[in-house]
Amino acid sequence: MTLGRRDVLCGMAAGAASLAFPARAVGTTELIADVGEMQLLPPQYAQTRFWGFGGTMPGPEIRVRQGERVQRTLVNELPQATSIHWHGIRIDNAMDGVSGLTQAATAPGDRFSYDFVAPDAGTYWYHAHNRSIEQVARGLYGALIVEEHTAPDVDAEDVLLLDDWLIDPATGQIDADFDAMHDRSHAGRNGNFIATNATYGLTRPARRYERRRLRIINAANARVFELRLQGLQGWIMAYDGMPLTAPRPFGDYLLLGPGQRADVFVDVTAEAGGQAHLLAVLDGEGLSQIKFEVAGNASGTRRGAPVPLEGNAHQMVQLDGARVLTLDMEGGAMGGLRSATLDGKRMNFRQLVGQGQFWAFNGAIGRAEDPPLANLSRGEHVWLKIRNATAFPHAMHLHGMHFHEVEADGRLGPLRDTTLIFGDQSREIAFVADNPGNWLLHCHMLAHAASGMTTRIEVA
Ligand code: C2O
Ligand code: CU
């Protein structure tokens, strides 16, 4: 007797039933990390090999409503272990995706299921968090958009992942010297090919006087983007996912450090038949990050100023009586760091350089595995004073919680998850430690994070 198709089906059904409905989360989608090829450079150049999620560059956009669940199973088909961090989400610590801290890195061939709720509306992103210095530079990132319950009054939306790729022009391939000592000790790994959403010369149609929401995400390893508008006028509506209580006129320019985001509403003011741009200024030159070809009019005039985006509920932090912490950042080229401790051993600068370590937090080479900067109890109010005694800017990112930047007059500034601090400047931030877990605090210039600028905060 031959085994008919029907028998096979019966056999499978019986097998499945005996598993008594394993806890396979409904709605889980695979997110495959794999090697791919893309036409990043203009067509006369070779294709570029990249590491990406879901076979596309950038990875698939994940879009949910505020309060909805995100379920993704990372399937690692890369030649290297990886993990996914959901940057800016006030997340359950076990889902934060920090290899070596909140989970073991997912080995090649293995999988890891992420399952969390997105409590806040806003513009977020996800990226690899194992050997980020290499994996983010190779392309392991995508946008994570959490929509407000009430959609704002805009005509169109553009999700823009800004990046600068470091490409070997002879081969068209990503420069594989990820641990270059010069990058680690200076400004980090800066690229030589700027592209938005991995698209060279990104162009979209637009109409005059329409209002667009730009969701701008700086996915670069180290570059601080100086952004300007041309043929557009707008307001900054949110930083790092969190709405400003009052929209701010865009002004002349906007600085966005690595890991930071901004939601900007722009009105197209360029004439029909003309062009409008979001520009990044590099060496005094404006490079288009997105070009709008303006065809026709959406209306006869601009509409009025926008109303603020729907707020995300945060407990108000009190500076009065807050626990004060300090973080002194030292080191790097021209930083004058004489010595620091590494693994509990005092080392002079030459010895540190031998270990590829250049930056110190409070006199120690900061690493995730070292004791935390602070052990906090849940609900504690924290006032963290950061002093950048180095010659370089740093983009300090706190996982798991947003913080206020404290302004010079002591008032609370906008909520952020990443703050940009220029050389020889200080920044104070304040937050309520309301999310239990082990939270990384590091420079998002990924070469810096890998050579001393990483610590963590533990919330009981
Ligand atoms: Cu966006 Cu620790 O990272
Ligand atoms: Cu840095």
Side-chain angles (χ1 to χ4, degrees), residues 138-394:
R138 286 195 188 269
L140 285 163
Y141 62 76
L144 171 53
I145 305 300
V146 185
E147 293 181 341
E148 295 85 10
H149 289 294
T150 328
D153 178 29
V154 294
D155 301 310
E157 187 179 295
D158 304 285
V159 178
L160 306 171
L161 284 143
L162 311 185
D163 200 357
D164 60 340
W165 301 77
L166 186 56
I167 301 289
D168 175 351
T171 61
Q173 301 309 311
I174 295 168
D175 183 305
D177 190 8
F178 298 104
D179 295 304
M181 287 297 156
H182 185 274
D183 295 345
R184 292 172 81 104
S185 57
H186 290 71
R189 178 183 165 103
N190 279 311
N192 55 4
F193 187 78
I194 306 259
T196 302
N197 300 346
T199 303
Y200 174 69
L202 181 66
T203 303
R204 286 187 185 158
R207 289 168 307 151
R208 191 176 201 205
Y209 296 136
E210 78 182 349
R211 178 164 290 172
R212 304 182 76 98
R213 178 183 197 163
L214 309 184
R215 295 180 180 268
I216 311 170
I217 303 166
N218 183 349
N221 272 50
R223 184 175 298 281
V224 178
F225 280 93
E226 178 189 328
L227 300 170
R228 290 176 185 261
L229 302 177
Q230 194 177 89
L232 304 168
Q233 280 181 39
W235 294 266
I236 297 165
M237 304 298 294
Y239 284 126
D240 298 351
M242 296 299 154
L244 302 181
T245 43
R248 290 186 183 172
F250 187 89
D252 288 339
Y253 65 95
L254 165 68
L255 293 177
L256 218 53
Q260 292 188 315
R261 289 91 60 214
D263 284 67
V264 179
F265 283 7
V266 292
D267 291 349
V268 178
T269 51
E271 308 227 334
Q275 296 175 344
H277 296 271
L278 174 70
L279 299 173
V281 179
L282 271 110
D283 303 322
E285 211 194 313
L287 293 180
S288 183
Q289 302 303 294
I290 183 168
K291 172 167 89 177
F292 297 107
E293 300 272 16
V294 186
N297 291 284
S299 76
T301 52
R302 291 180 68 185
R303 65 187 94 170
V307 298
L309 289 168
E310 242 171 55
N312 295 319
H314 268 79
Q315 197 193 331
M316 210 49 187
V317 60
Q318 305 291 348
L319 295 181
D320 224 13
R323 167 122 162 229
V324 175
L325 302 172
T326 56
L327 184 66
D328 279 337
M329 309 166 76
E330 295 172 283
M334 302 162 286
L337 181 70
R338 286 231 167 80
S339 66
T341 51
L342 176 62
D343 282 331
K345 279 188 268 11
R346 196 90 209 150
M347 292 193 182
N348 64 34
F349 197 65
R350 253 203 32 231
Q351 291 169 309
L352 295 171
V353 170
Q355 305 286 317
Q357 301 299 321
F358 296 94
W359 311 89
F361 281 169
N362 293 342
I365 301 300
R367 293 183 315 169
E369 53 271 30
D370 291 341
L373 177 69
N375 281 296
L376 303 171
S377 44
R378 189 174 184 179
E380 235 181 301
H381 292 228
V382 181
W383 186 355
L384 173 60
K385 302 180 176 181
I386 308 173
R387 190 175 62 97
N388 178 4
T390 81
F392 293 90
H394 302 288

Side-chain angles (χ1 to χ4, degrees), residues 80-142:
Q80 204 177 77
T82 192
S83 67
I84 307 176
H85 170 55
W86 314 90
H87 183 124
I89 302 288
R90 291 194 285 167
I91 205 168
D92 173 0
N93 193 240
M95 295 289 118
D96 200 37
V98 178
S99 71
L101 185 66
T102 65
Q103 67 167 97
T106 304
D110 279 358
R111 30 177 76 217
F112 187 94
S113 291
Y114 294 95
D115 184 350
F116 59 91
V117 166
D120 301 307
T123 301
Y124 304 92
W125 64 306
Y126 62 95
H127 62 79
H129 213 300
N130 185 53
R131 245 191 93 67
S132 317
I133 186 177
E134 168 174 1
Q135 295 193 357
V136 173
R138 286 195 188 269
L140 285 163
Y141 62 76

Side-chain angles (χ1 to χ4, degrees), residues 186-187 329 359 392-396 443-446 448-449 453:
H186 290 71
M329 309 166 76
W359 311 89
F392 293 90
H394 302 288
M396 290 297 291
C443 180
H444 221 287
M445 281 134 179
L446 301 170
H448 296 170
M453 290 201 149

